[in-house]
Amino acid sequence: MTSFVIGRKQQVSYNGQLSPICPVQFGLPQGSILGPLLFMLYTTDGNQVVVKHGLRLHQYVDDCQVCVTTSIDDVALAVDRLARCVSDVGEWMSSSQLRLNSSKTRAIWLGYKNQIDRVNINSVPVLSSSVSTVDSVRDLGVVINSRLTMSDHVTALCRSGYYQLWQLRLVVRTLPEAAAKTLVQAFVTCLLEYCNVLIYGITDNFFRRL
């Protein structure tokens, strides 16, 4: 299925047949050609809101991370800055007909183990709710833990790889070797190749597991 947006009208092509033209009164249909570009233009002001608070914003399409760097002694001040920043971001989103979903928001401390153990703040205010800090988060398919050891990511990779091998165990026995290799490449090896630059320099123990 292909979606075309012409001016303020949308048309869908399926099996060589075109649907009737439908007026688009607001927003953009998912899958439209201009969608990604216009979305970035629509949300670009959000970065200015974060920068105004002296924080950093990392954004990949609609997946955003707000980062604040602090010393152990100034943790409380950093959390307050972050809370005020998120509050302003929420107001900007409301004015732009967007919504900040606190249920999908995660907070994590990153640093050395002895530093993390000294942090006694276990939740971060997000608008009218509070988000508990976690030991690991998934960012674009990569599992990051608070000490950046990649141990959780290696565990997740091994779990996914074994699961795919278990699913393929009966199928590959009935296939020619070349076809079996193609299946393993598509469902297992690709897991190891995705963002593999991040596992450069991991310990021998993690490397052997992979």
mmCIF file with all atom_site columns, all heavy atoms in Angstrom, residues 6 19 56 87 99 127 134 208:
data_model
loop_
_atom_site.group_PDB
_atom_site.id
_atom_site.type_symbol
_atom_site.label_atom_id
_atom_site.label_alt_id
_atom_site.label_comp_id
_atom_site.label_asym_id
_atom_site.label_entity_id
_atom_site.label_seq_id
_atom_site.pdbx_PDB_ins_code
_atom_site.Cartn_x
_atom_site.Cartn_y
_atom_site.Cartn_z
_atom_site.occupancy
_atom_site.B_iso_or_equiv
_atom_site.pdbx_formal_charge
_atom_site.auth_seq_id
_atom_site.auth_comp_id
_atom_site.auth_asym_id
_atom_site.auth_atom_id
_atom_site.pdbx_PDB_model_num
ATOM 1  N N   . ILE A 1 6   ? -1.339 15.029  -1.773 1.00 0.00 ? 6   ILE A N   1
ATOM 2  C CA  . ILE A 1 6   ? -1.284 16.082  -2.783 1.00 0.00 ? 6   ILE A CA  1
ATOM 3  C C   . ILE A 1 6   ? -1.960 17.310  -2.200 1.00 0.00 ? 6   ILE A C   1
ATOM 4  O O   . ILE A 1 6   ? -3.184 17.337  -2.046 1.00 0.00 ? 6   ILE A O   1
ATOM 5  C CB  . ILE A 1 6   ? -1.992 15.644  -4.087 1.00 0.00 ? 6   ILE A CB  1
ATOM 6  C CG1 . ILE A 1 6   ? -1.437 14.297  -4.559 1.00 0.00 ? 6   ILE A CG1 1
ATOM 7  C CG2 . ILE A 1 6   ? -1.850 16.707  -5.154 1.00 0.00 ? 6   ILE A CG2 1
ATOM 8  C CD1 . ILE A 1 6   ? -2.197 13.708  -5.706 1.00 0.00 ? 6   ILE A CD1 1
ATOM 9  N N   . SER A 1 19  ? -7.549 4.681   -4.482 1.00 0.00 ? 19  SER A N   1
ATOM 10 C CA  . SER A 1 19  ? -8.734 4.985   -3.684 1.00 0.00 ? 19  SER A CA  1
ATOM 11 C C   . SER A 1 19  ? -9.276 6.353   -4.067 1.00 0.00 ? 19  SER A C   1
ATOM 12 O O   . SER A 1 19  ? -8.583 7.144   -4.712 1.00 0.00 ? 19  SER A O   1
ATOM 13 C CB  . SER A 1 19  ? -8.377 4.977   -2.202 1.00 0.00 ? 19  SER A CB  1
ATOM 14 O OG  . SER A 1 19  ? -7.556 6.092   -1.894 1.00 0.00 ? 19  SER A OG  1
ATOM 15 N N   . ARG A 1 56  ? 20.641 19.113  27.605 1.00 0.00 ? 56  ARG A N   1
ATOM 16 C CA  . ARG A 1 56  ? 20.877 18.639  26.248 1.00 0.00 ? 56  ARG A CA  1
ATOM 17 C C   . ARG A 1 56  ? 19.751 17.718  25.808 1.00 0.00 ? 56  ARG A C   1
ATOM 18 O O   . ARG A 1 56  ? 19.249 16.911  26.592 1.00 0.00 ? 56  ARG A O   1
ATOM 19 C CB  . ARG A 1 56  ? 22.214 17.901  26.163 1.00 0.00 ? 56  ARG A CB  1
ATOM 20 C CG  . ARG A 1 56  ? 23.426 18.807  26.265 1.00 0.00 ? 56  ARG A CG  1
ATOM 21 C CD  . ARG A 1 56  ? 24.705 18.004  26.254 1.00 0.00 ? 56  ARG A CD  1
ATOM 22 N NE  . ARG A 1 56  ? 24.798 17.134  27.411 1.00 0.00 ? 56  ARG A NE  1
ATOM 23 C CZ  . ARG A 1 56  ? 25.725 16.193  27.563 1.00 0.00 ? 56  ARG A CZ  1
ATOM 24 N NH1 . ARG A 1 56  ? 26.613 15.987  26.617 1.00 0.00 ? 56  ARG A NH1 1
ATOM 25 N NH2 . ARG A 1 56  ? 25.766 15.461  28.651 1.00 0.00 ? 56  ARG A NH2 1
ATOM 26 N N   . SER A 1 87  ? 8.505  20.468  32.640 1.00 0.00 ? 87  SER A N   1
ATOM 27 C CA  . SER A 1 87  ? 7.271  21.229  32.766 1.00 0.00 ? 87  SER A CA  1
ATOM 28 C C   . SER A 1 87  ? 7.100  22.191  31.595 1.00 0.00 ? 87  SER A C   1
ATOM 29 O O   . SER A 1 87  ? 6.017  22.291  31.007 1.00 0.00 ? 87  SER A O   1
ATOM 30 C CB  . SER A 1 87  ? 7.254  21.994  34.091 1.00 0.00 ? 87  SER A CB  1
ATOM 31 O OG  . SER A 1 87  ? 6.093  22.792  34.203 1.00 0.00 ? 87  SER A OG  1
ATOM 32 N N   . ARG A 1 99  ? 1.178  15.763  23.180 1.00 0.00 ? 99  ARG A N   1
ATOM 33 C CA  . ARG A 1 99  ? 1.006  15.334  24.571 1.00 0.00 ? 99  ARG A CA  1
ATOM 34 C C   . ARG A 1 99  ? 2.225  14.548  25.025 1.00 0.00 ? 99  ARG A C   1
ATOM 35 O O   . ARG A 1 99  ? 2.700  13.663  24.323 1.00 0.00 ? 99  ARG A O   1
ATOM 36 C CB  . ARG A 1 99  ? -0.251 14.469  24.715 1.00 0.00 ? 99  ARG A CB  1
ATOM 37 C CG  . ARG A 1 99  ? -0.555 14.081  26.169 1.00 0.00 ? 99  ARG A CG  1
ATOM 38 C CD  . ARG A 1 99  ? -1.916 13.399  26.257 1.00 0.00 ? 99  ARG A CD  1
ATOM 39 N NE  . ARG A 1 99  ? -1.904 12.101  25.622 1.00 0.00 ? 99  ARG A NE  1
ATOM 40 C CZ  . ARG A 1 99  ? -1.610 10.959  26.249 1.00 0.00 ? 99  ARG A CZ  1
ATOM 41 N NH1 . ARG A 1 99  ? -1.286 10.980  27.537 1.00 0.00 ? 99  ARG A NH1 1
ATOM 42 N NH2 . ARG A 1 99  ? -1.624 9.814   25.608 1.00 0.00 ? 99  ARG A NH2 1
ATOM 43 N N   . LEU A 1 127 ? 5.663  16.375  35.057 1.00 0.00 ? 127 LEU A N   1
ATOM 44 C CA  . LEU A 1 127 ? 4.360  17.029  35.065 1.00 0.00 ? 127 LEU A CA  1
ATOM 45 C C   . LEU A 1 127 ? 3.661  16.745  36.390 1.00 0.00 ? 127 LEU A C   1
ATOM 46 O O   . LEU A 1 127 ? 4.196  17.001  37.451 1.00 0.00 ? 127 LEU A O   1
ATOM 47 C CB  . LEU A 1 127 ? 3.548  16.587  33.853 1.00 0.00 ? 127 LEU A CB  1
ATOM 48 C CG  . LEU A 1 127 ? 4.194  16.887  32.480 1.00 0.00 ? 127 LEU A CG  1
ATOM 49 C CD1 . LEU A 1 127 ? 3.279  16.467  31.352 1.00 0.00 ? 127 LEU A CD1 1
ATOM 50 C CD2 . LEU A 1 127 ? 4.577  18.348  32.354 1.00 0.00 ? 127 LEU A CD2 1
ATOM 51 N N   . VAL A 1 134 ? 15.265 3.837   37.045 1.00 0.00 ? 134 VAL A N   1
ATOM 52 C CA  . VAL A 1 134 ? 15.452 2.424   36.738 1.00 0.00 ? 134 VAL A CA  1
ATOM 53 C C   . VAL A 1 134 ? 16.935 2.141   36.548 1.00 0.00 ? 134 VAL A C   1
ATOM 54 O O   . VAL A 1 134 ? 17.750 3.059   36.392 1.00 0.00 ? 134 VAL A O   1
ATOM 55 C CB  . VAL A 1 134 ? 14.661 2.020   35.478 1.00 0.00 ? 134 VAL A CB  1
ATOM 56 C CG1 . VAL A 1 134 ? 13.156 2.146   35.718 1.00 0.00 ? 134 VAL A CG1 1
ATOM 57 C CG2 . VAL A 1 134 ? 15.075 2.885   34.282 1.00 0.00 ? 134 VAL A CG2 1
ATOM 58 N N   . ARG A 1 208 ? 32.546 -13.814 25.067 1.00 0.00 ? 208 ARG A N   1
ATOM 59 C CA  . ARG A 1 208 ? 32.355 -15.262 24.936 1.00 0.00 ? 208 ARG A CA  1
ATOM 60 C C   . ARG A 1 208 ? 30.870 -15.626 24.914 1.00 0.00 ? 208 ARG A C   1
ATOM 61 O O   . ARG A 1 208 ? 30.452 -16.539 24.218 1.00 0.00 ? 208 ARG A O   1
ATOM 62 C CB  . ARG A 1 208 ? 33.071 -16.001 26.069 1.00 0.00 ? 208 ARG A CB  1
ATOM 63 C CG  . ARG A 1 208 ? 34.580 -16.115 25.884 1.00 0.00 ? 208 ARG A CG  1
ATOM 64 C CD  . ARG A 1 208 ? 35.183 -17.124 26.868 1.00 0.00 ? 208 ARG A CD  1
ATOM 65 N NE  . ARG A 1 208 ? 35.004 -16.683 28.246 1.00 0.00 ? 208 ARG A NE  1
ATOM 66 C CZ  . ARG A 1 208 ? 35.881 -15.947 28.904 1.00 0.00 ? 208 ARG A CZ  1
ATOM 67 N NH1 . ARG A 1 208 ? 36.973 -15.523 28.299 1.00 0.00 ? 208 ARG A NH1 1
ATOM 68 N NH2 . ARG A 1 208 ? 35.658 -15.607 30.161 1.00 0.00 ? 208 ARG A NH2 1
#
